[in-house]
Amino acid sequence: MKNWLFVAPLCLLTLAICTPSVQAAAVDASKFDILGVRLGMPQSEALKTLLSALGLDSSVVQWRKDYFTGKYDYTDCTIENNNSKYEISFFESGDKGDRSKMIVKYFRYAIPDSTENRIALRKSAIAKYGPPSNSAYPKNSAEWCLRPDKYLSACHAYDGPRLRCEQVG
């Protein structure tokens, strides 16, 4: 099985209160985009933007099926293009059951793992988004968030929007 590198912005509704560290930079990752897709973007706009950036049509979108019903639930999809993989998760921002108000809550971009890809992805992310919030651990991952942990200079999924560039393998 191939190893993958992930860039994963995560957005959760529950926000914990943390005091930022002097060493860690607070960054609003909700303003970042990957190929034009941002957290909180409406589902139709996000898919149209990503497909346009990749030069693909909607036939390549693979929707996840519900485990119990076997029906497509339209909350998670995957798009594969060459050696890249894009995964988007959506959630309802309006009334329960109102799929017209689905927005991006999670976006993951994955490429095959290699030393060259790790170096290029990290350099590209830092060039685009600036110094990471977790400057204490520059070799393993780079993260950008509003409230980095004051002791670990790390970002947490439960602490608001974040962008993560890491090696997974």
Side-chain angles (χ1 to χ4, degrees), residues 68-165:
F68 297 104
T69 66
K71 296 180 182 178
Y72 294 105
D73 66 7
Y74 301 100
T75 59
D76 299 289
C77 69
T78 302
I79 297 169
E80 294 189 36
N81 184 34
N82 298 321
N83 282 330
S84 299
K85 187 176 188 179
Y86 307 86
E87 297 175 1
I88 308 176
S89 291
F90 303 94
F91 74 98
E92 298 167 358
S93 64
D95 297 329
K96 185 144 178 79
D98 183 359
R99 299 230 179 246
S100 68
K101 295 186 177 148
M102 300 286 279
I103 62 173
V104 176
K105 77 169 183 179
Y106 179 88
F107 182 96
R108 177 168 40 200
Y109 165 61
I111 56 177
D113 185 24
S114 72
T115 301
E116 296 81 21
N117 282 348
R118 274 190 298 251
I119 292 168
L121 185 59
R122 182 174 168 72
K123 282 184 179 178
S124 174
I126 291 172
K128 183 172 182 176
Y129 306 118
S133 299
N134 68 328
S135 57
Y137 301 103
K139 291 183 182 178
N140 299 326
S141 69
E143 297 179 311
W144 293 261
C145 62
L146 275 175
R147 297 176 187 91
D149 183 281
K150 66 181 182 178
Y151 300 106
L152 301 175
S153 297
C155 301
H156 304 285
Y158 56 82
D159 204 23
R162 73 174 169 165
L163 175 76
R164 172 189 264 170
C165 175

Side-chain angles (χ1 to χ4, degrees), residues 4-24:
W4 292 89
L5 294 175
F6 294 105
V7 174
L10 302 177
C11 180
L12 300 177
L13 294 175
T14 307
L15 298 178
I17 298 172
C18 292
T19 306
S21 167
V22 174
Q23 301 121 347

Side-chain angles (χ1 to χ4, degrees), residues 11-78:
C11 180
L12 300 177
L13 294 175
T14 307
L15 298 178
I17 298 172
C18 292
T19 306
S21 167
V22 174
Q23 301 121 347
V27 180
D28 186 358
S30 69
K31 300 200 182 326
F32 293 166
D33 73 271
I34 298 173
L35 294 174
V37 177
R38 294 177 321 280
L39 297 175
M41 182 181 268
Q43 184 181 61
S44 59
E45 184 182 348
L47 290 173
K48 181 179 176 183
T49 300
L50 181 58
L51 292 170
S52 175
L54 297 173
L56 302 171
D57 63 48
S58 61
S59 67
V60 300
V61 178
Q62 302 167 22
W63 291 100
R64 181 181 66 93
K65 287 186 179 181
D66 182 271
Y67 178 79
F68 297 104
T69 66
K71 296 180 182 178
Y72 294 105
D73 66 7
Y74 301 100
T75 59
D76 299 289
C77 69
T78 302

